[in-house]
Amino acid sequence: MVNDDVIKELKAKALQFRYDLLEMIGIGTAGHLGGSASLAELMAVLYFYRMNFDKTKLADPARDRLILSKGHAALIQYAALCEKGCFPREALKQVKTLDGLLQGHPDLTIPGIEAVTGSLGQGLSVALGMALALRLDKSPAKVYVVMGDGEQSEGQLWEAAMAAANFKVDNLTAFIDWNKIQATGATSDIFNNPDLDKKWRAFGWEVIPCPGHDIPKIIEALEQADKVKGKPALIILDTVKGKGFSFAENTAAYHNGILDEKIFAQATKELDLAKGAL
Ligand SMILES: Cc1ncc(C[n+]2csc(CCOP(=O)(O)OP(=O)(O)O)c2C)c(N)n1
């Protein structure tokens, strides 16, 4: 059991990331709020509890790697990397500007980013290559990869899924951010892909369902994944798109929507209330 202070600290990190999302998106410009907010708790656990990650050792061969295959949610990874001290907070204000460090999708010029992503479906292949190379090197490092549920319609991902099982890769843990909504509507309406758990199991993976905003449960799921040997593990995170912002929850409207002044003020108020309740 993880102690309560640690959990409280991780919840505070997830909340800080949500404030950072608002700071990055700002008023009057589009930004990927929905699919970023659904990952706040996972990012807090991975970067602040789980991963061997040190901003002073970003090229250490033994570091754990995180590939954000759903690269459009880059803002949540930037929030975590910023909190880790990889770049100054000022960089958040210049997100998605030509002169800024932080581009709309993860890029290798950004300290702490391990792969260029954004074209959906590719991250698992990249992560698998890394995991195989680390295994050859007898490295203790782990590779984590985060996919979307809409992303599950990409064919390349299933080739990588088969290959990972074939090669009995067990230093790779994948996640699906199962928030049930994609860019323009419900995933079930746009490309219905039910029974993801059964499909991944049939492809030879250990599948672990997990409530995606429950920090102790995410930690438990990761511990369960660690015990899996001779095959890769997938944690399906049952999440809410836009989590933490009532106007953005369970809707595609804020997949990449614009925050006007009124909505921005409401968002800040909701986070302040959540802070008071921590
Ligand atoms: C190959 C490819 N096709 C289309 C897109 C455009 N696109 C960006 S986000 C998105 C929806 C992704 O949905 P999901 O994976 O569920 O992400 P989430 O809802 O968690 O943000 C699409 C289709 C893309 N980035 N890459």
Side-chain angles (χ1 to χ4, degrees):
M1 273 291 280
V2 186
N3 92 42
D4 289 347
D5 290 345
V6 173
I7 301 295
K8 202 170 165 194
E9 227 171 88
L10 294 173
K11 282 184 181 169
K13 288 290 177 209
L15 183 62
Q16 179 59 47
F17 298 165
R18 291 191 169 98
Y19 276 110
D20 293 343
L21 292 178
L22 290 186
E23 174 153 11
M24 282 183 269
I25 296 171
I27 297 170
T29 38
H32 285 101
L33 180 68
S36 297
S38 56
L39 289 174
E41 282 74 19
L42 177 68
M43 290 293 152
V45 171
L46 286 177
Y47 279 108
F48 286 88
Y49 179 77
R50 183 72 217 223
M51 283 171 46
N52 172 21
F53 181 97
D54 179 342
K55 68 164 182 181
T56 65
K57 295 183 190 163
L58 293 177
D60 179 4
R63 74 193 183 282
D64 292 335
R65 277 82 163 160
L66 171 59
I67 313 298
L68 185 64
S69 189
K70 43 167 277 189
H72 58 277
L75 300 188
I76 197 70
Q77 193 173 17
Y78 298 162
L81 292 174
C82 183
E83 281 289 301
K84 274 281 171 188
C86 289
F87 39 79
R89 291 196 64 79
E90 290 73 65
L92 300 183
K93 293 194 181 78
Q94 293 180 307
V95 88
K96 291 210 285 188
T97 58
L98 278 180
D99 294 335
L101 172 70
L102 306 174
Q103 294 307 303
H105 291 80
D107 187 89
L108 288 175
T109 52
I110 301 168
I113 293 293
E114 298 281 358
V116 173
T117 54
S119 184
L120 294 166
Q122 300 180 350
L124 184 61
S125 305
V126 175
L128 172 59
M130 288 179 178
L132 287 168
L134 288 166
R135 185 166 76 181
L136 274 179
D137 288 344
K138 302 198 176 356
S139 168
K142 282 212 147 231
V143 184
Y144 299 96
V145 55
V146 183
M147 302 174 285
D149 59 342
E151 186 182 4
Q152 301 299 300
S153 58
E154 296 288 347
Q156 178 178 339
L157 173 165
W158 295 99
E159 293 181 44
M162 279 189 282
N166 175 67
F167 294 124
K168 301 183 173 32
V169 169
D170 55 17
N171 55 348
L172 170 68
T173 300
F175 300 89
I176 296 177
D177 179 3
W178 188 46
N179 59 30
K180 300 124 204 132
I181 311 257
Q182 52 166 296
T184 52
T187 303
S188 57
D189 288 339
I190 290 163
F191 191 104
N192 196 23
N193 194 355
D195 299 325
L196 285 173
D197 52 344
K198 289 185 192 146
K199 285 174 181 156
W200 281 85
R201 266 189 208 109
F203 272 66
W205 286 57
E206 183 75 18
V207 175
I208 303 165
C210 177
H213 300 296
D214 183 328
I215 286 175
K217 294 272 192 246
I218 297 173
I219 292 173
E220 248 178 72
L222 282 162
E223 284 166 358
Q224 214 179 315
D226 273 350
K227 293 190 189 119
V228 176
K229 297 294 167 212
K231 60 175 169 173
L234 170 76
I235 298 175
I236 301 185
L237 296 166
D238 189 349
T239 54
V240 173
K241 190 144 177 166
K243 176 76 178 173
F245 304 97
S246 64
F247 57 89
E249 287 190 359
N250 291 313
T251 168
Y254 288 92
H255 172 80
N256 190 24
I258 293 175
L259 306 179
D260 64 21
E261 232 168 277
K262 197 168 150 226
I263 286 285
F264 193 91
Q266 183 188 335
T268 309
K269 200 170 156 196
E270 288 181 7
L271 294 186
D272 291 346
L273 279 173
K275 196 174 191 173
L278 264 186

